């Protein structure tokens, strides 16, 4: 039976957990609409596969550019004000979609996505360590799993809503584009581009209001536990470079975010490449995110009472390796379902890596958190690599005499080989990497 102190502690953290979950809901909604934006941008800007995945690159590369500045800002103004500022920056990014749609200029869309990503960097650099150290480190993965549920439910809503707004009727428009003259083609594409204006105005208003409201939210001040001197009389660590388990965690998180984004952001385009109608394919990101929500719910129930954070990571890595092989050796809708099933393998990786990587960091927690946030840039690079592999393989297959449709299908599946080395790195961190440099107690 829990004692009075435990009950009091849970009551104090309940409201803050709900508020942070709301923030995870927001950047989940914004992040996972990329799955719909990628085929949308590909059509209105007439892009190749690799070029279309610059949508993900623009979103996630901001985590490299902004993570250390975000850490500096949070050190200066604190977690709460950092979250507020992040939301307001995201609102500004949403507003830039309006002139971008008017000009139908790809770099302007990418700039808007980058600015939103910069706001999310600040928001995540504040909220992830905050929720990690809000309670006992042993149950951090459980709290982060709750955040994951909020994030992925929002992502599912975002992908469905924006899929309906941006992708409905896109098959008919593509057919018309092949038949009309240049003037009418320009008119059709401009009309299609304008469909982003209203939803992004609404998004900007909501984000700005939430940025103001979060300043008044009842979030208690928290700090990580100080680094303890070793029992053998050794000195406490004085540099972030003295924590190899952190740096290995950054690498593991880098490849993890890459495979998570590939699973969520490529699946709609993948389904379209397999000649599945857009009206069906636009829901495929939802499959991936729902798989993650189910697994997050299991994590909330199982961690740490029945399984440890490290065990959850081990299982996820092994399952990811198995699914990677299954995807590239299957085809059709079965392969799509296997890509969606990566959600089961991916869900508990983020919640497990964060507390494992932040173990023993003490005063370096904010800087370490910034480094882990920088690892989100894996979502910028690996989907782009997937798109490049698809483009190169497609050209090779066409040169061998394969028809365009068959080459498109085979190359789209071939691109998923990029998953395998990523899950092998996660596998290493799960079994050995998270213990490197840490003395056993």
């Amino acid at each position: 039976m829990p004692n009075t102190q435990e009950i009091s502690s849970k009551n104090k953290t309940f409201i803050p957990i709900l508020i942070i979950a709301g923030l995870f809901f927001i950047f989940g909604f914004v992040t996972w609409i990329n799955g719909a934006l990628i085929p949308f941008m590909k059509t209105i800007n007439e892009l190749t596969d690799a070029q279309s995945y610059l949508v993900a690159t623009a979103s996630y590369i901001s985590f490299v550019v902004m993570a250390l500045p975000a850490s500096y800002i949070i050190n200066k103004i604190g977690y709460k004000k950092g979250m507020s500022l992040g939301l307001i920056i995201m609102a500004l990014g949403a507003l830039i979609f309006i002139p971008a749609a008017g000009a139908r200029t790809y770099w302007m869309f990418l700039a808007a996505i980058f600015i939103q990503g910069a706001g999310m960097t600040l928001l995540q650099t504040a909220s992830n360590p905050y929720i990690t150290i809000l309670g006992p480190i042993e149950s951090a993965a459980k709290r982060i799993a709750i955040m994951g549920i909020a994030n992925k439910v929002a992502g599912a809503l975002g992908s469905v809503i924006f899929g309906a707004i941006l992708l409905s009727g896109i098959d008919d428009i593509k057919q018309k584009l092949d038949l009309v003259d240049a003037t009418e083609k320009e008119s059709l594409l401009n009309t299609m581009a304008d469909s982003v204006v209203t939803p992004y105005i609404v998004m900007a208003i909501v984000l700005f209001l939430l940025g103001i409201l979060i300043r008044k939210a009842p979030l208690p001040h928290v700090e990580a536990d100080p680094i303890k001197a070793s029992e053998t009389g050794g000195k406490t660590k004085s540099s972030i470079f003295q924590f190899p388990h952190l740096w290995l965690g950054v690498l593991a998180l880098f490849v993890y975010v890459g495979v998570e984004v590939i699973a969520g952001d490529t699946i709609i385009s993948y389904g379209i490449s397999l000649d599945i109608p857009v009206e069906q394919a636009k829901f495929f990101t939802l499959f991936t995110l729902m798989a993650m929500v189910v697994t997050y719910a299991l994590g909330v129930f199982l961690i740490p009472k029945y399984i440890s954070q490290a065990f959850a990571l081990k299982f996820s890595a092994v399952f990811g390796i198995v699914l990677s092989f299954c995807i590239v050796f299957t085809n059709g809708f079965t392969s799509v379902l296997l890509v969606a099933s990566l959600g089961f393998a991916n869900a508990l990786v983020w919640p497990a890596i964060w507390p494992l990587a932040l173990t023993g960091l003490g005063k370096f927690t904010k800087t370490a958190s910034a480094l882990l946030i920088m690892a989100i840039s894996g979502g910028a690079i690996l989907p782009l690599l997937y798109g490049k592999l698809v483009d190169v393989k497609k050209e090779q297959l066409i040169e061998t005499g394969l028809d365009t449709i068959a080459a498109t299908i085979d190359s789209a599946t071939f691109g998923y080989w990029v998953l395998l080395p990523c899950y092998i790195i996660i596998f290493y961190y799960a079994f050995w990497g998270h213990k490197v440099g840490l003395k056993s107690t």
Side-chain angles (χ1 to χ4, degrees), residues 57-199:
T57 300
S59 180
Y60 291 98
I61 202 67
S62 58
F63 291 97
V64 173
V65 177
M66 284 299 299
L68 289 176
S71 175
Y72 174 80
I73 291 168
I74 291 165
N75 274 315
K76 288 291 183 183
I77 67 176
Y79 288 119
K80 185 193 287 190
K81 290 180 180 178
M83 295 173 197
S84 174
L85 181 59
L87 288 164
I88 291 170
I89 293 172
M90 288 173 69
L92 293 174
L95 288 175
I96 295 174
F97 269 80
I98 300 166
R104 197 164 56 80
T105 304
Y106 193 37
W107 72 262
M108 289 184 68
F109 281 116
L110 295 180
I113 293 167
F114 176 84
I115 292 170
Q116 283 206 309
M120 282 193 285
T121 304
L122 191 54
L123 195 59
Q124 292 228 38
T125 304
S127 59
N128 277 287
Y130 187 91
I131 199 67
T132 300
I133 62 180
L134 186 60
I137 195 72
E138 296 80 11
S139 59
K142 178 177 181 176
R143 292 190 298 279
I144 299 174
I146 294 171
M147 302 304 106
I149 292 173
N151 184 274
K152 288 345 181 249
V153 168
L157 288 173
S159 68
V160 169
I161 292 169
F162 275 74
I165 294 171
L166 304 181
L167 300 181
S168 291
I170 196 172
D171 282 335
D172 293 335
I173 292 173
K174 283 181 178 179
Q175 290 176 1
K176 289 179 182 177
L177 292 174
D178 294 331
L179 302 174
V180 299
D181 59 30
T183 302
E184 195 170 348
K185 180 179 182 180
E186 191 74 7
S187 177
L188 281 170
L189 292 176
N190 287 338
T191 301
M192 188 175 176
D194 288 340
S195 62
V196 302
V197 172
T198 300

Side-chain angles (χ1 to χ4, degrees), residues 279-310:
E279 288 302 312
Q280 296 175 31
K282 69 183 181 183
F283 294 109
F284 289 168
T285 296
L286 176 64
F287 296 170
T288 305
L289 295 176
M290 286 299 96
M292 296 188 78
V293 169
V294 169
T295 313
Y296 277 132
L298 286 173
V300 171
F301 175 72
L302 296 174
I303 300 172
K305 187 174 182 180
Y306 298 103
I307 63 173
S308 68
Q309 293 164 159

Side-chain angles (χ1 to χ4, degrees), residues 368-382:
S369 298
L371 293 171
L372 289 168
I373 291 297
M374 287 176 74
I376 296 176
S377 61
I381 295 168
L382 293 176

Side-chain angles (χ1 to χ4, degrees), residues 53 259 262 266 270 324 327-328 335 339 382-394 397 407-422:
Y53 287 112
V259 296
I262 286 172
T266 70
Y270 181 51
S324 298
I327 289 166
V328 295
S335 186
V339 174
L382 293 176
L384 197 61
L385 180 58
Y386 167 84
K388 189 64 177 177
L389 284 175
V390 172
D391 283 343
V392 170
K393 186 65 174 179
K394 183 178 177 180
L397 292 173
T408 299
I409 292 171
D410 289 352
S411 61
T413 304
F414 176 83
Y416 286 110
W417 275 112
V418 74
L419 298 171
L420 188 59
C422 298

